[in-house]
Amino acid sequence: MLNQSYNYRDRSNLSADPLSEILGLLRPSSFGFRGLDARGDWMLVFRSAPGLKCYAVTTGSCWLGVEGARPVRIEAGDLALLAGDQEFRLFTSSDADPIDAYEFFLAIPPGEAAVLNGGGSVSGVGGFFEFESDEGGALLSVLPPLIHIAAFATNGELMWPITRLMRELRSPQPGGALLAQHLAQALLIDALRLHLADANERRSGWLYALGEPRLRTVLAAMHAEPARKWKLVDFAQLAGMSRTSFATRFSAVLGEPAIGYLTRWRMLLAADFLRNQGQSIATVAHAVGYESESAFGAAFRRAWGRSPRGYVQRGQDKPLGQ
């Protein structure tokens, strides 16, 4: 299993990058990428599964369909990310006999290409990332089921980490596991940047708050100093807004009040400190802004459904309500 700790740093400035801070908690624990070379009419059906799925077409085109949504045409150079756990399908013809994609690809070694109907018309690469922290599901839950990034928006740049990852899988080298993790995060960051720049729909969640400079400033402050005794007026001043206007806007975009978001972020950090860094409960409580272990323990139990000590002993659990 890949593993890398999120390192908390006590920073006096407000230069934190919220996207980096959040994605720092998303550590790929396992991954698998393979290629596809296909021809004619075909349909690959991918069963429901957790994690982040990524697919890119290098030549030709095909369709990608997600349950409950209209199929999207994926052209050469396009990239598609699927953040949900719903079933989906890749196909050139909706009338083709469905093929179980997992059984089809598992017969091929990682990093190699599977050939369908002799190949020669449509080619691409794809795979999945699973994350070691269950809070990853909460962090990715704000994303739409399908993110389609057209070739013209990427200039081919997103193909590089995928191609490099395929090479690492074909010919493992020393340090390959850590490199694969960095490639996965680089791909995710670039894809989310492009999606955020092109997102013209009104959505709620931390990702879309980063698209608003005033809210991004506040999130950066929270992430830079999670232990600070923040008040609503502090956030409003940072945003250059009245308290009422700020509170209304923050809740509308983030889907929760500012103090609620801060508490949830503290609990995500606390869980990570306890599980991956082995810090004492007292140290973690102080690091996330609690003066007493009892107050911290009560907040942690509300978020995770068990005490900090119980969380460490029992391992990973999903946050309540996420």
Side-chain angles (χ1 to χ4, degrees), residues 161-233:
I162 298 176
T163 302
R164 182 64 187 276
L165 181 56
M166 291 281 285
R167 191 173 76 191
E168 290 294 325
L169 292 173
R170 283 195 302 271
S171 304
Q173 300 292 325
L178 182 59
L179 177 58
Q181 177 175 320
H182 289 318
L183 290 170
Q185 290 186 322
L187 174 64
L188 181 56
I189 290 170
D190 281 339
L192 292 181
R193 282 176 173 175
L194 289 166
H195 172 64
L196 185 59
D198 191 50
N200 48 24
E201 298 180 40
R202 287 293 182 185
R203 299 181 182 273
S204 63
W206 58 264
L207 177 63
Y208 303 99
L210 299 182
E212 296 195 16
R214 292 183 294 186
L215 296 184
R216 185 168 63 242
T217 296
V218 172
L219 291 180
M222 289 185 185
H223 286 244
E225 298 183 282
R228 179 172 169 177
K229 296 185 182 301
W230 292 104
K231 297 180 180 179
L232 183 62
V233 65

Side-chain angles (χ1 to χ4, degrees), residues 85-219:
D85 60 359
Q86 70 277 24
E87 180 180 293
F88 65 97
R89 61 194 185 281
L90 287 171
F91 61 96
T92 54
S93 171
S94 59
D95 296 325
D97 293 332
I99 300 172
D100 186 301
Y102 291 107
E103 293 183 2
F104 177 74
F105 282 111
L106 285 178
I108 306 299
E112 300 292 344
V115 178
L116 184 59
N117 298 333
S121 296
V122 181
S123 65
V125 294
F128 69 92
F129 300 103
E130 291 182 346
F131 300 99
E132 70 174 48
S133 58
D134 284 316
E135 59 263 29
L139 296 174
L140 293 177
S141 65
V142 301
L143 301 180
L146 170 63
I147 295 176
H148 176 210
I149 301 174
F152 69 82
T154 70
N155 294 321
E157 294 180 359
L158 293 186
M159 287 302 300
W160 177 84
I162 298 176
T163 302
R164 182 64 187 276
L165 181 56
M166 291 281 285
R167 191 173 76 191
E168 290 294 325
L169 292 173
R170 283 195 302 271
S171 304
Q173 300 292 325
L178 182 59
L179 177 58
Q181 177 175 320
H182 289 318
L183 290 170
Q185 290 186 322
L187 174 64
L188 181 56
I189 290 170
D190 281 339
L192 292 181
R193 282 176 173 175
L194 289 166
H195 172 64
L196 185 59
D198 191 50
N200 48 24
E201 298 180 40
R202 287 293 182 185
R203 299 181 182 273
S204 63
W206 58 264
L207 177 63
Y208 303 99
L210 299 182
E212 296 195 16
R214 292 183 294 186
L215 296 184
R216 185 168 63 242
T217 296
V218 172
L219 291 180

Side-chain angles (χ1 to χ4, degrees), residues 4 12 47 101 107 130-131 140 222 242 247 260 292:
Q4 177 190 18
S12 58
R47 287 171 273 165
E130 291 182 346
F131 300 99
L140 293 177
M222 289 185 185
S242 71
S292 70

Side-chain angles (χ1 to χ4, degrees), residues 6 8 14 16 28 31 40 57 61 70 81 93 110 144 169-171 201 228 252-253 296 304:
Y6 175 95
Y8 173 77
L14 303 184
F31 56 89
V57 172
S61 65
R70 296 179 60 183
L81 287 177
S93 171
L169 292 173
R170 283 195 302 271
S171 304
E201 298 180 40
R228 179 172 169 177
V253 177
F296 167 67
W304 293 91

Side-chain angles (χ1 to χ4, degrees), residues 278-298:
Q279 297 183 16
S280 70
I281 295 175
T283 299
V284 173
H286 178 73
V288 296
Y290 290 84
E291 296 180 352
S292 70
E293 288 188 39
S294 60
F296 167 67

